Amino acid sequence: MEEKSLKKYIILWLSQSVSGLGSSMTGFALVLWAYEQSRSAMSVSMMSFCNYVPYIILSLFVGSFVDRHSKKAIMLVSDSIAAMGSTVVLAFLLMGRLEIWNIYVINAVIGITNAFQQPASAVATGRLVPKDKISNVSGMNSFSNNLIVVFNPMLAAFLFAAGGLPLILLIDLASFVFAFCVLLFFITIPEGAQDKAYSSPFAGIAEGFAFLKKEKGILYMMLTMALINFFSRLTYENILSPMILARSSGNSIALGIVNACMGAGGIVGGIIVSLKKESRHKVAAIYVSAALSFLLGDLMMAVGKTVFWWSAAAVAASLPIPFIMANQNAILYRKIPSGLQGRVFAVRNAIQYGTIPFGIILGGYLADYVFEPFMDSGNGFAKILGTIVGNTAGSGMAAMFLCTGICGFAVSLLSCFNREIKKLNGFD
């Protein structure tokens, strides 16, 4: 039975990975299109912001809905609405009426569908995969996600040059149809006993938070991961690309190499996690991996001044990430009862990812208006800092990586010694 369930999940994983590649190519092509239209980095940041904010807000309210309804139906409907968004973009583009604000609206709609799709997918994974294989499955997901990171820019850039945005949108829709048919006709997701109905969405939220109030270790783990996500997105989401371009005199090949290494590190980490036995010391694995990612990744990215060191930093930053996700998922699936998983995963998404849009916006603001002007001001402390990160264009953004490396490393290590979090691992 376990083997059959895992085989089902592998089929689902492969089809969803194909669809994910199509969606990622569309996202990359839309960034290229939007930047061509506006020449504004903030307009690109707003695309991510408009996707994250509705996702995080709505995540608080969808948990009980996910627990009470068919996970398969939720995933099918959510993916269909997202595909309709790509169809609308294609239609507007062919009519010559596509504007950047249209993409903001569609990204917001996709964020809403993700708020339903992701907790439904998380619960479905728990229903399809034996618990002792959860960490391996997390490694598989990291592998596929990072494989997309490596190949998505190259494929999207090639197709964008060959047929423009319309060709990429058509490929995205074709990949959606493939994944939709696989899920509809070949995947059966077991459903638990129907949960009680709630008088309002707030009742479901209350029960999710009530569980976290009792399981303080899980709550503290989510809060610390929210802080880690904030420090990570403060730099990598918006700052990495302009910093590399600024410090390499606009060398786009250098940026491509660094991005490829970022994905390659995640692929290697995902392969290791998917093949290795589940860790006995999950809490240590989570926070030591996070600490190493900040220490070796962010700090090396800050002081590095060549493609070699930036690439090494990219590998060091991304390789530990699959270990973080795999061990966190292993803890969550074991500690959260099956009937509560939709509510708790939805609340988790709101808490753990709620800091990301603020990190994205704040990172862009700090780079443009605080750190870059400060490093160019001739201030005495700026000169001292310049001996570490350099005094050229982009040194302010490098200083930001220095700060996030120190702060992220400290938060990760301190979290590892939290008494309630340590109890999750059975050692206190």
mmCIF file of all heavy atoms in Angstrom, residues 45 48-50 52-53 56-57 226 229-235 237-238 350-366 400:
data_model
loop_
_atom_site.group_PDB
_atom_site.id
_atom_site.type_symbol
_atom_site.label_atom_id
_atom_site.label_comp_id
_atom_site.label_asym_id
_atom_site.label_seq_id
_atom_site.Cartn_x
_atom_site.Cartn_y
_atom_site.Cartn_z
ATOM 1 N N SER A 45 9.118 44.578 -8.583
ATOM 2 C CA SER A 45 8.896 44.203 -7.181
ATOM 3 C C SER A 45 7.404 44.153 -6.859
ATOM 4 O O SER A 45 6.946 43.287 -6.114
ATOM 5 C CB SER A 45 9.589 45.198 -6.246
ATOM 6 O OG SER A 45 10.980 45.191 -6.450
ATOM 7 N N SER A 48 5.617 40.806 -7.501
ATOM 8 C CA SER A 48 5.728 39.833 -6.409
ATOM 9 C C SER A 48 4.872 40.252 -5.223
ATOM 10 O O SER A 48 4.209 39.420 -4.593
ATOM 11 C CB SER A 48 7.190 39.690 -5.966
ATOM 12 O OG SER A 48 7.989 39.170 -6.996
ATOM 13 N N PHE A 49 4.882 41.537 -4.913
ATOM 14 C CA PHE A 49 4.132 42.052 -3.772
ATOM 15 C C PHE A 49 2.637 41.773 -3.937
ATOM 16 O O PHE A 49 1.967 41.326 -3.000
ATOM 17 C CB PHE A 49 4.383 43.557 -3.633
ATOM 18 C CG PHE A 49 3.775 44.161 -2.404
ATOM 19 C CD1 PHE A 49 4.392 44.034 -1.171
ATOM 20 C CD2 PHE A 49 2.586 44.867 -2.474
ATOM 21 C CE1 PHE A 49 3.845 44.604 -0.035
ATOM 22 C CE2 PHE A 49 2.025 45.435 -1.347
ATOM 23 C CZ PHE A 49 2.656 45.302 -0.118
ATOM 24 N N CYS A 50 2.104 42.022 -5.132
ATOM 25 C CA CYS A 50 0.677 41.817 -5.393
ATOM 26 C C CYS A 50 0.306 40.338 -5.337
ATOM 27 O O CYS A 50 -0.856 40.003 -5.075
ATOM 28 C CB CYS A 50 0.290 42.389 -6.754
ATOM 29 S SG CYS A 50 0.328 44.189 -6.830
ATOM 30 N N TYR A 52 1.957 38.050 -3.221
ATOM 31 C CA TYR A 52 2.125 37.578 -1.852
ATOM 32 C C TYR A 52 1.046 38.075 -0.898
ATOM 33 O O TYR A 52 0.545 37.314 -0.056
ATOM 34 C CB TYR A 52 3.494 38.003 -1.306
ATOM 35 C CG TYR A 52 4.604 37.038 -1.600
ATOM 36 C CD1 TYR A 52 5.682 37.410 -2.404
ATOM 37 C CD2 TYR A 52 4.606 35.754 -1.075
ATOM 38 C CE1 TYR A 52 6.721 36.527 -2.675
ATOM 39 C CE2 TYR A 52 5.634 34.874 -1.340
ATOM 40 C CZ TYR A 52 6.689 35.255 -2.137
ATOM 41 O OH TYR A 52 7.705 34.384 -2.403
ATOM 42 N N VAL A 53 0.674 39.357 -0.984
ATOM 43 C CA VAL A 53 -0.198 39.958 0.031
ATOM 44 C C VAL A 53 -1.561 39.269 0.110
ATOM 45 O O VAL A 53 -1.982 38.850 1.204
ATOM 46 C CB VAL A 53 -0.333 41.474 -0.192
ATOM 47 C CG1 VAL A 53 -1.426 42.049 0.700
ATOM 48 C CG2 VAL A 53 0.991 42.165 0.102
ATOM 49 N N ILE A 56 -1.202 35.757 1.634
ATOM 50 C CA ILE A 56 -0.956 35.696 3.077
ATOM 51 C C ILE A 56 -2.216 36.036 3.864
ATOM 52 O O ILE A 56 -2.569 35.358 4.834
ATOM 53 C CB ILE A 56 0.200 36.640 3.447
ATOM 54 C CG1 ILE A 56 1.519 36.062 2.914
ATOM 55 C CG2 ILE A 56 0.288 36.841 4.944
ATOM 56 C CD1 ILE A 56 2.641 37.054 2.856
ATOM 57 N N ILE A 57 -2.924 37.071 3.434
ATOM 58 C CA ILE A 57 -4.143 37.464 4.156
ATOM 59 C C ILE A 57 -5.186 36.357 4.089
ATOM 60 O O ILE A 57 -5.785 35.966 5.102
ATOM 61 C CB ILE A 57 -4.706 38.780 3.580
ATOM 62 C CG1 ILE A 57 -3.735 39.930 3.845
ATOM 63 C CG2 ILE A 57 -6.077 39.082 4.184
ATOM 64 C CD1 ILE A 57 -4.130 41.230 3.181
ATOM 65 N N ALA A 226 9.596 32.635 10.180
ATOM 66 C CA ALA A 226 9.125 33.897 9.602
ATOM 67 C C ALA A 226 10.232 34.947 9.653
ATOM 68 O O ALA A 226 10.434 35.705 8.690
ATOM 69 C CB ALA A 226 7.892 34.397 10.356
ATOM 70 N N ASN A 229 12.854 33.990 7.093
ATOM 71 C CA ASN A 229 12.372 34.351 5.755
ATOM 72 C C ASN A 229 12.505 35.842 5.490
ATOM 73 O O ASN A 229 12.825 36.267 4.381
ATOM 74 C CB ASN A 229 10.911 33.930 5.590
ATOM 75 C CG ASN A 229 10.751 32.455 5.302
ATOM 76 O OD1 ASN A 229 11.669 31.806 4.812
ATOM 77 N ND2 ASN A 229 9.595 31.908 5.622
ATOM 78 N N PHE A 230 12.256 36.642 6.516
ATOM 79 C CA PHE A 230 12.361 38.095 6.367
ATOM 80 C C PHE A 230 13.789 38.499 6.014
ATOM 81 O O PHE A 230 14.013 39.255 5.061
ATOM 82 C CB PHE A 230 11.926 38.790 7.659
ATOM 83 C CG PHE A 230 12.159 40.275 7.654
ATOM 84 C CD1 PHE A 230 11.327 41.123 6.949
ATOM 85 C CD2 PHE A 230 13.231 40.821 8.349
ATOM 86 C CE1 PHE A 230 11.543 42.494 6.931
ATOM 87 C CE2 PHE A 230 13.455 42.185 8.349
ATOM 88 C CZ PHE A 230 12.609 43.023 7.641
ATOM 89 N N PHE A 231 14.762 37.989 6.765
ATOM 90 C CA PHE A 231 16.155 38.344 6.493
ATOM 91 C C PHE A 231 16.592 37.832 5.115
ATOM 92 O O PHE A 231 17.335 38.511 4.400
ATOM 93 C CB PHE A 231 17.068 37.785 7.579
ATOM 94 C CG PHE A 231 16.978 38.512 8.888
ATOM 95 C CD1 PHE A 231 16.704 37.835 10.068
ATOM 96 C CD2 PHE A 231 17.147 39.886 8.941
ATOM 97 C CE1 PHE A 231 16.616 38.514 11.276
ATOM 98 C CE2 PHE A 231 17.052 40.576 10.151
ATOM 99 C CZ PHE A 231 16.791 39.887 11.316
ATOM 100 N N SER A 232 16.118 36.655 4.745
ATOM 101 C CA SER A 232 16.493 36.095 3.448
ATOM 102 C C SER A 232 15.927 36.929 2.304
ATOM 103 O O SER A 232 16.639 37.266 1.352
ATOM 104 C CB SER A 232 15.989 34.650 3.356
ATOM 105 O OG SER A 232 16.224 34.119 2.078
ATOM 106 N N ARG A 233 14.645 37.275 2.373
ATOM 107 C CA ARG A 233 14.005 38.009 1.281
ATOM 108 C C ARG A 233 14.411 39.477 1.256
ATOM 109 O O ARG A 233 14.209 40.154 0.256
ATOM 110 C CB ARG A 233 12.485 37.889 1.378
ATOM 111 C CG ARG A 233 11.980 36.460 1.249
ATOM 112 C CD ARG A 233 12.502 35.796 -0.012
ATOM 113 N NE ARG A 233 12.108 34.399 -0.093
ATOM 114 C CZ ARG A 233 11.146 33.928 -0.858
ATOM 115 N NH1 ARG A 233 10.470 34.750 -1.635
ATOM 116 N NH2 ARG A 233 10.855 32.650 -0.851
ATOM 117 N N LEU A 234 14.954 39.977 2.347
ATOM 118 C CA LEU A 234 15.437 41.351 2.380
ATOM 119 C C LEU A 234 16.526 41.573 1.337
ATOM 120 O O LEU A 234 16.664 42.670 0.787
ATOM 121 C CB LEU A 234 15.986 41.656 3.776
ATOM 122 C CG LEU A 234 16.107 43.115 4.221
ATOM 123 C CD1 LEU A 234 14.745 43.776 4.308
ATOM 124 C CD2 LEU A 234 16.791 43.178 5.589
ATOM 125 N N THR A 235 17.265 40.509 1.045
ATOM 126 C CA THR A 235 18.359 40.642 0.085
ATOM 127 C C THR A 235 18.137 39.836 -1.192
ATOM 128 O O THR A 235 18.115 40.388 -2.285
ATOM 129 C CB THR A 235 19.687 40.214 0.738
ATOM 130 O OG1 THR A 235 19.494 38.964 1.433
ATOM 131 C CG2 THR A 235 20.177 41.252 1.705
ATOM 132 N N GLU A 237 15.652 38.383 -2.772
ATOM 133 C CA GLU A 237 14.514 38.591 -3.689
ATOM 134 C C GLU A 237 14.746 39.756 -4.648
ATOM 135 O O GLU A 237 14.504 39.658 -5.841
ATOM 136 C CB GLU A 237 13.238 38.843 -2.872
ATOM 137 C CG GLU A 237 11.963 38.880 -3.691
ATOM 138 C CD GLU A 237 11.484 37.486 -4.084
ATOM 139 O OE1 GLU A 237 11.906 36.507 -3.438
ATOM 140 O OE2 GLU A 237 10.699 37.390 -5.037
ATOM 141 N N ASN A 238 15.214 40.886 -4.123
ATOM 142 C CA ASN A 238 15.345 42.092 -4.932
ATOM 143 C C ASN A 238 16.781 42.546 -5.140
ATOM 144 O O ASN A 238 17.065 43.247 -6.113
ATOM 145 C CB ASN A 238 14.597 43.262 -4.262
ATOM 146 C CG ASN A 238 13.102 43.155 -4.440
ATOM 147 O OD1 ASN A 238 12.615 42.501 -5.356
ATOM 148 N ND2 ASN A 238 12.364 43.795 -3.557
ATOM 149 N N ALA A 350 0.353 31.825 6.581
ATOM 150 C CA ALA A 350 0.175 33.242 6.910
ATOM 151 C C ALA A 350 1.283 33.735 7.838
ATOM 152 O O ALA A 350 1.822 34.833 7.663
ATOM 153 C CB ALA A 350 -1.189 33.464 7.549
ATOM 154 N N ILE A 351 1.654 32.924 8.826
ATOM 155 C CA ILE A 351 2.680 33.334 9.792
ATOM 156 C C ILE A 351 4.072 33.290 9.155
ATOM 157 O O ILE A 351 4.825 34.269 9.173
ATOM 158 C CB ILE A 351 2.645 32.423 11.039
ATOM 159 C CG1 ILE A 351 1.342 32.620 11.818
ATOM 160 C CG2 ILE A 351 3.843 32.708 11.944
ATOM 161 C CD1 ILE A 351 1.171 31.651 12.974
ATOM 162 N N GLN A 352 4.405 32.132 8.605
ATOM 163 C CA GLN A 352 5.773 31.889 8.168
ATOM 164 C C GLN A 352 6.155 32.698 6.933
ATOM 165 O O GLN A 352 7.305 33.090 6.771
ATOM 166 C CB GLN A 352 5.942 30.394 7.889
ATOM 167 C CG GLN A 352 7.382 29.954 7.680
ATOM 168 C CD GLN A 352 7.541 28.459 7.828
ATOM 169 O OE1 GLN A 352 7.056 27.865 8.788
ATOM 170 N NE2 GLN A 352 8.193 27.826 6.871
ATOM 171 N N TYR A 353 5.181 32.948 6.048
ATOM 172 C CA TYR A 353 5.458 33.680 4.814
ATOM 173 C C TYR A 353 4.964 35.118 4.856
ATOM 174 O O TYR A 353 5.128 35.860 3.894
ATOM 175 C CB TYR A 353 4.851 32.944 3.620
ATOM 176 C CG TYR A 353 5.276 31.503 3.526
ATOM 177 C CD1 TYR A 353 4.347 30.486 3.342
ATOM 178 C CD2 TYR A 353 6.616 31.145 3.660
ATOM 179 C CE1 TYR A 353 4.739 29.153 3.275
ATOM 180 C CE2 TYR A 353 7.015 29.814 3.601
ATOM 181 C CZ TYR A 353 6.072 28.824 3.409
ATOM 182 O OH TYR A 353 6.466 27.513 3.356
ATOM 183 N N GLY A 354 4.337 35.491 5.982
ATOM 184 C CA GLY A 354 3.784 36.840 6.095
ATOM 185 C C GLY A 354 4.827 37.940 6.087
ATOM 186 O O GLY A 354 4.527 39.096 5.773
ATOM 187 N N THR A 355 6.065 37.593 6.426
ATOM 188 C CA THR A 355 7.137 38.597 6.454
ATOM 189 C C THR A 355 7.765 38.820 5.083
ATOM 190 O O THR A 355 8.505 39.789 4.896
ATOM 191 C CB THR A 355 8.232 38.150 7.434
ATOM 192 O OG1 THR A 355 8.685 36.836 7.058
ATOM 193 C CG2 THR A 355 7.718 38.112 8.870
ATOM 194 N N ILE A 356 7.481 37.926 4.129
ATOM 195 C CA ILE A 356 8.166 37.984 2.841
ATOM 196 C C ILE A 356 7.876 39.267 2.063
ATOM 197 O O ILE A 356 8.809 39.932 1.599
ATOM 198 C CB ILE A 356 7.839 36.733 1.996
ATOM 199 C CG1 ILE A 356 8.538 35.517 2.608
ATOM 200 C CG2 ILE A 356 8.265 36.910 0.539
ATOM 201 C CD1 ILE A 356 8.224 34.201 1.919
ATOM 202 N N PRO A 357 6.582 39.669 1.877
ATOM 203 C CA PRO A 357 6.362 40.899 1.098
ATOM 204 C C PRO A 357 6.975 42.130 1.733
ATOM 205 O O PRO A 357 7.423 43.040 1.028
ATOM 206 C CB PRO A 357 4.827 41.002 1.024
ATOM 207 C CG PRO A 357 4.309 40.144 2.113
ATOM 208 C CD PRO A 357 5.317 39.046 2.275
ATOM 209 N N PHE A 358 7.018 42.166 3.056
ATOM 210 C CA PHE A 358 7.635 43.314 3.729
ATOM 211 C C PHE A 358 9.151 43.307 3.521
ATOM 212 O O PHE A 358 9.772 44.362 3.355
ATOM 213 C CB PHE A 358 7.288 43.288 5.216
ATOM 214 C CG PHE A 358 5.815 43.354 5.482
ATOM 215 C CD1 PHE A 358 5.104 42.219 5.836
ATOM 216 C CD2 PHE A 358 5.127 44.548 5.338
ATOM 217 C CE1 PHE A 358 3.746 42.271 6.059
ATOM 218 C CE2 PHE A 358 3.764 44.610 5.565
ATOM 219 C CZ PHE A 358 3.072 43.464 5.921
ATOM 220 N N GLY A 359 9.739 42.107 3.513
ATOM 221 C CA GLY A 359 11.163 42.014 3.207
ATOM 222 C C GLY A 359 11.461 42.466 1.785
ATOM 223 O O GLY A 359 12.456 43.148 1.531
ATOM 224 N N ILE A 360 10.584 42.099 0.840
ATOM 225 C CA ILE A 360 10.772 42.478 -0.556
ATOM 226 C C ILE A 360 10.761 44.000 -0.717
ATOM 227 O O ILE A 360 11.660 44.587 -1.321
ATOM 228 C CB ILE A 360 9.670 41.844 -1.434
ATOM 229 C CG1 ILE A 360 9.849 40.321 -1.488
ATOM 230 C CG2 ILE A 360 9.688 42.428 -2.847
ATOM 231 C CD1 ILE A 360 8.698 39.602 -2.157
ATOM 232 N N ILE A 361 9.718 44.639 -0.170
ATOM 233 C CA ILE A 361 9.577 46.092 -0.320
ATOM 234 C C ILE A 361 10.655 46.834 0.465
ATOM 235 O O ILE A 361 11.275 47.781 -0.038
ATOM 236 C CB ILE A 361 8.176 46.547 0.129
ATOM 237 C CG1 ILE A 361 7.108 45.981 -0.816
ATOM 238 C CG2 ILE A 361 8.081 48.060 0.182
ATOM 239 C CD1 ILE A 361 7.211 46.465 -2.242
ATOM 240 N N LEU A 362 10.895 46.407 1.703
ATOM 241 C CA LEU A 362 11.880 47.086 2.547
ATOM 242 C C LEU A 362 13.285 46.935 1.965
ATOM 243 O O LEU A 362 14.089 47.889 2.018
ATOM 244 C CB LEU A 362 11.840 46.528 3.962
ATOM 245 C CG LEU A 362 12.776 47.188 4.981
ATOM 246 C CD1 LEU A 362 12.462 48.682 5.114
ATOM 247 C CD2 LEU A 362 12.677 46.497 6.342
ATOM 248 N N GLY A 363 13.583 45.757 1.391
ATOM 249 C CA GLY A 363 14.909 45.544 0.809
ATOM 250 C C GLY A 363 15.199 46.521 -0.316
ATOM 251 O O GLY A 363 16.282 47.105 -0.385
ATOM 252 N N GLY A 364 14.216 46.716 -1.212
ATOM 253 C CA GLY A 364 14.394 47.672 -2.304
ATOM 254 C C GLY A 364 14.575 49.092 -1.801
ATOM 255 O O GLY A 364 15.421 49.843 -2.302
ATOM 256 N N TYR A 365 13.785 49.455 -0.784
ATOM 257 C CA TYR A 365 13.885 50.816 -0.227
ATOM 258 C C TYR A 365 15.244 51.032 0.442
ATOM 259 O O TYR A 365 15.903 52.060 0.220
ATOM 260 C CB TYR A 365 12.759 51.039 0.779
ATOM 261 C CG TYR A 365 12.857 52.374 1.487
ATOM 262 C CD1 TYR A 365 12.365 53.535 0.888
ATOM 263 C CD2 TYR A 365 13.460 52.477 2.740
ATOM 264 C CE1 TYR A 365 12.468 54.759 1.529
ATOM 265 C CE2 TYR A 365 13.566 53.690 3.384
ATOM 266 C CZ TYR A 365 13.072 54.836 2.768
ATOM 267 O OH TYR A 365 13.187 56.051 3.402
ATOM 268 N N LEU A 366 15.675 50.075 1.262
ATOM 269 C CA LEU A 366 16.945 50.232 1.970
ATOM 270 C C LEU A 366 18.119 50.318 1.002
ATOM 271 O O LEU A 366 19.059 51.091 1.213
ATOM 272 C CB LEU A 366 17.158 49.064 2.937
ATOM 273 C CG LEU A 366 16.254 49.024 4.174
ATOM 274 C CD1 LEU A 366 16.489 47.740 4.969
ATOM 275 C CD2 LEU A 366 16.472 50.250 5.057
ATOM 276 N N MET A 400 24.275 45.169 2.886
ATOM 277 C CA MET A 400 23.008 44.574 3.315
ATOM 278 C C MET A 400 23.161 43.066 3.490
ATOM 279 O O MET A 400 22.642 42.480 4.454
ATOM 280 C CB MET A 400 21.907 44.883 2.303
ATOM 281 C CG MET A 400 21.458 46.333 2.296
ATOM 282 S SD MET A 400 20.175 46.657 1.053
ATOM 283 C CE MET A 400 18.833 45.632 1.659
#
